[in-house]
């Protein structure tokens, strides 16, 4: 059977169309917002280590910059497509808008697989990407960042090429730089901590004490590790995390019902968030099937691994005790599962609000770079708390007042703000 391939941009447009109907958006604004404002597709010729030339394809999509410079990562991926980049750029517009930072949405990519490229070849791709885009990106129009398979070193090479071309120092051009070379303290913790700031607020509104709650978490990478840490610091208990096992090509859940210790687990976790099973067993963890995290008798579920994890097939395994789902990952819940969750009255903190701590901290990095003045870690995380708490309250107030599902309320706020900026500027 010829099943139609999943197209993320069609999904992003369908989500937008639904909100546009709810808020009665006029035709011109709809046309403007359901498509990117600018798109670039270009060739990056690279001299490979063996002396041959190879041409890579690069992209940058600026979905909307009415509220500020476009903001979004650059991905290196062998299956990168223009439509994936378009979808991710669109979601960045809504994410920056819902947390009310003065940035728009962008995303970029290169079709390549860094596993098969030397450091020198990767540097050449970074510099080539900038040479093609140098006139269309920059601190006042479009600020890139790391994303899938790109890291602070790639950002520094890109910054250097940009500065060579423009003949000056422009630290606010790109975020995710190494600390000490323009990076912000607190960025590593930002997404996981941001998630827990919103969870804390949600529990407070529901009249529950975080210190009396237990959480089960999917994933044990960057987002999960810091979310687990802060949840525990605030007095809560975490009994499960899960991860993908590269060797067995399946996922596993690691459970300690008395409460797990993230520092102990991080000591037996590889840089990709994979936990050593044998060592975990020795430390007293039960090693359970990958989807066991979802069926735990806990108050809080935190999907913080990958997309498409709470589906029509497993949503009914969610325990009756669960009160709250905080989406650390992007797109962990399918629309089918969403319906069941809404019917069961489980409170959801939607992904583009719950995991916006990362981009909010990137914005702080950009601000610090533009000022050439860097804040202490506590100042960064304090400002992050203020932003995330305010964004959460705005969405939850609207959801309560208009009896909207949290995801819909977040979309209504985000799209309304961008639509207003476009109208106020006289674009539509
Ligand atoms: P990561 O690569 O550091 O960690 C991912 C974790 O998920 C790893 O522990 C991995 O083993 C696990 N995993 C992968 N597939 C799995 C599966 N099928 N079942 C169970 N576990 C699985 O990634 P991250 O940076 O922590 O990002 C996690 C999610 O959060 C992604 O959806 C990402 O897009 C989103 N996100 C991350 C940030 C950020 O700042 N890191 C910001 C916004 C959104």
């Amino acid at each position: 059977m010829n099943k139609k391939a999943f197209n993320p941009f069609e999904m992003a447009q369908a989500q937008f169309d639904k909100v546009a109907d709810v808020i009665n958006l006029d035709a011109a604004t709809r046309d403007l917002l359901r498509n990117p404002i600018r798109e670039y597709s270009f060739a990056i010729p690279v001299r490979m280590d063996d002396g041959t030339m190879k041409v890579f394809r690069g992209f940058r999509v600026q979905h909307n910059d009415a509220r500020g410079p476009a903001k979004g990562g650059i991905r290196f991926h062998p299956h990168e497509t223009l439509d994936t980049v378009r979808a991710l750029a669109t979601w960045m517009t809504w994410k920056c808008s819902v947390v009310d930072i003065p940035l728009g949405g962008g995303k970029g990519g290169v079709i390549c697989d860094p596993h098969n490229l030397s450091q020198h070849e990767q540097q050449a791709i970074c510099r080539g990407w900038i040479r093609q885009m140098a006139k269309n990106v920059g601190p006042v129009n479009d600020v890139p960042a790391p994303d899938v398979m790109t890291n602070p070193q790639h950002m520094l090479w890109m910054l250097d090429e940009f500065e060579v071309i423009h003949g000056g120092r422009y630290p606010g051009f790109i975020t995710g730089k190494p600390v000490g070379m323009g990076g912000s303290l607190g960025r590593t913790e930002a997404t996981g901590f941001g998630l827990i700031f919103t969870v804390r607020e949600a529990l407070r509104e529901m009249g529950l004490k975080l210190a009396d709650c237990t959480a089960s978490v999917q994933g044990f990478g960057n987002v999960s590790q810091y979310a687990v840490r802060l949840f525990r610091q605030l007095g809560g208990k975490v009994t499960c995390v899960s991860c993908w096992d590269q060797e067995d090509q399946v996922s596993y859940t690691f459970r300690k019902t008395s409460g797990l210790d993230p520092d102990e687990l991080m000591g037996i976790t590889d840089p990709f968030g994979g936990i050593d099973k044998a060592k975990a067993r020795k430390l007293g963890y039960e090693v359970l099937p990958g989807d066991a995290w979802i069926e735990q008798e806990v108050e809080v579920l935190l999907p913080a691994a990958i997309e498409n994890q709470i589906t029509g097939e497993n949503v009914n395994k969610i325990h009756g005790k669960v009160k709250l789902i905080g989406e650390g990952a992007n797109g962990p819940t399918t629309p089918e599962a969403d319906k069941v969750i809404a019917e069961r009255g489980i409170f959801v903190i939607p992904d583009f609000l719950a995991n916006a701590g990362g981009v909010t901290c990137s914005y702080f990095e950009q601000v610090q770079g533009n000022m050439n003045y860097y804040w202490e870690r506590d100042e960064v995380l304090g400002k992050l708390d203020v932003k995330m708490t305010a964004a959460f309250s705005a969405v939850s107030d609207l959801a309560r007042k208009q009896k909207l599902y949290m995801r819909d309320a977040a979309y209504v706020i985000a799209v309304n703000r961008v639509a207003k900026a476009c109208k106020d500027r006289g674009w539509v």
Side-chain angles (χ1 to χ4, degrees), residues 187 191 218 220-223 242-244 251 272-273 304-305 328-330 355:
R187 175 63 186 89
T191 308
Q218 188 188 35
F220 197 57
N222 173 261
V223 178
S242 72
C243 72
W244 180 255
S251 58
F272 305 101
N330 282 318
N355 68 31

Side-chain angles (χ1 to χ4, degrees), residues 75 88 92 95 107 146-148 187-192 217-225 241-246 250-253 269-275 290-291 293 303-309 327-332 351 354-359 362:
R75 298 154 45 105
L88 292 163
M92 283 305 294
K95 191 180 286 198
K107 207 76 174 192
D147 206 288
V148 173
R187 175 63 186 89
T188 315
E189 303 91 315
T191 308
V217 186
Q218 188 188 35
F220 197 57
N222 173 261
V223 178
S224 166
Q225 289 172 7
V241 295
S242 72
C243 72
W244 180 255
D245 190 289
Q246 196 58 29
V250 289
S251 58
Y252 291 108
T253 299
T269 301
D270 68 29
F272 305 101
I275 301 168
D291 59 359
W293 72 278
I306 52 167
E307 68 288 345
N308 210 8
Q309 293 304 298
E327 295 182 335
N330 282 318
D351 52 2
N355 68 31
V359 72
S362 294

Side-chain angles (χ1 to χ4, degrees), residues 203-221:
L203 290 173
R204 191 176 7 232
E205 282 191 3
M206 293 160 83
L208 295 169
K209 277 206 187 99
L210 194 153
D212 296 336
C213 290
T214 303
S216 174
V217 186
Q218 188 188 35
F220 197 57

Side-chain angles (χ1 to χ4, degrees), residues 238-286:
V238 180
T239 50
C240 288
V241 295
S242 72
C243 72
W244 180 255
D245 190 289
Q246 196 58 29
E247 214 174 274
D248 298 354
Q249 288 291 302
V250 289
S251 58
Y252 291 108
T253 299
F254 296 78
R255 182 169 73 178
K256 198 179 248 187
T257 43
S258 58
L260 59 81
D261 173 358
D263 291 327
E264 177 184 78
L265 269 183
M266 274 163 88
I268 57 166
T269 301
D270 68 29
F272 305 101
I275 301 168
D276 187 312
K277 291 192 295 294
K279 289 183 182 160
R281 282 198 186 96
K282 272 193 197 145
L283 290 170
Y285 289 85
E286 296 170 82

Side-chain angles (χ1 to χ4, degrees), residues 138-341:
V140 295
N141 52 353
D142 184 357
V143 183
D147 206 288
V148 173
M149 287 202 264
T150 51
N151 58 40
Q153 175 64 72
H154 294 120
M155 298 304 109
L156 196 52
W157 286 327
M158 288 184 167
L159 175 73
D160 187 67
E161 190 68 23
F162 184 87
E163 293 183 336
V164 167
I165 292 169
H166 290 283
R169 290 284 173 258
Y170 298 93
F173 154 59
I174 204 161
T175 63
K177 301 180 290 296
V179 170
M181 287 301 289
S184 176
L185 292 170
R187 175 63 186 89
T188 315
E189 303 91 315
T191 308
F193 276 26
L195 169 63
I196 300 304
F197 294 148
T198 64
V199 166
R200 180 196 64 203
E201 293 307 304
L203 290 173
R204 191 176 7 232
E205 282 191 3
M206 293 160 83
L208 295 169
K209 277 206 187 99
L210 194 153
D212 296 336
C213 290
T214 303
S216 174
V217 186
Q218 188 188 35
F220 197 57
N222 173 261
V223 178
S224 166
Q225 289 172 7
Y226 288 96
V228 169
R229 214 172 249 190
L230 186 59
F231 194 81
R232 281 185 83 241
Q233 271 173 27
L234 297 177
K237 183 164 94 171
V238 180
T239 50
C240 288
V241 295
S242 72
C243 72
W244 180 255
D245 190 289
Q246 196 58 29
E247 214 174 274
D248 298 354
Q249 288 291 302
V250 289
S251 58
Y252 291 108
T253 299
F254 296 78
R255 182 169 73 178
K256 198 179 248 187
T257 43
S258 58
L260 59 81
D261 173 358
D263 291 327
E264 177 184 78
L265 269 183
M266 274 163 88
I268 57 166
T269 301
D270 68 29
F272 305 101
I275 301 168
D276 187 312
K277 291 192 295 294
K279 289 183 182 160
R281 282 198 186 96
K282 272 193 197 145
L283 290 170
Y285 289 85
E286 296 170 82
V287 181
L288 306 170
D291 59 359
W293 72 278
I294 205 176
E295 41 189 69
Q296 301 301 310
E297 192 180 339
V298 293
E299 288 81 12
V300 178
L301 287 181
L302 301 176
I306 52 167
E307 68 288 345
N308 210 8
Q309 293 304 298
I310 306 180
T311 65
E313 265 159 44
N314 65 11
V315 66
N316 285 314
K317 290 186 180 169
I318 294 179
H319 197 277
K321 199 176 173 189
V322 171
K323 304 274 187 308
L324 168 70
I325 300 176
E327 295 182 335
N330 282 318
T333 310
T334 65
E336 204 184 344
D338 233 6
K339 254 192 192 161
V340 178
I341 291 168

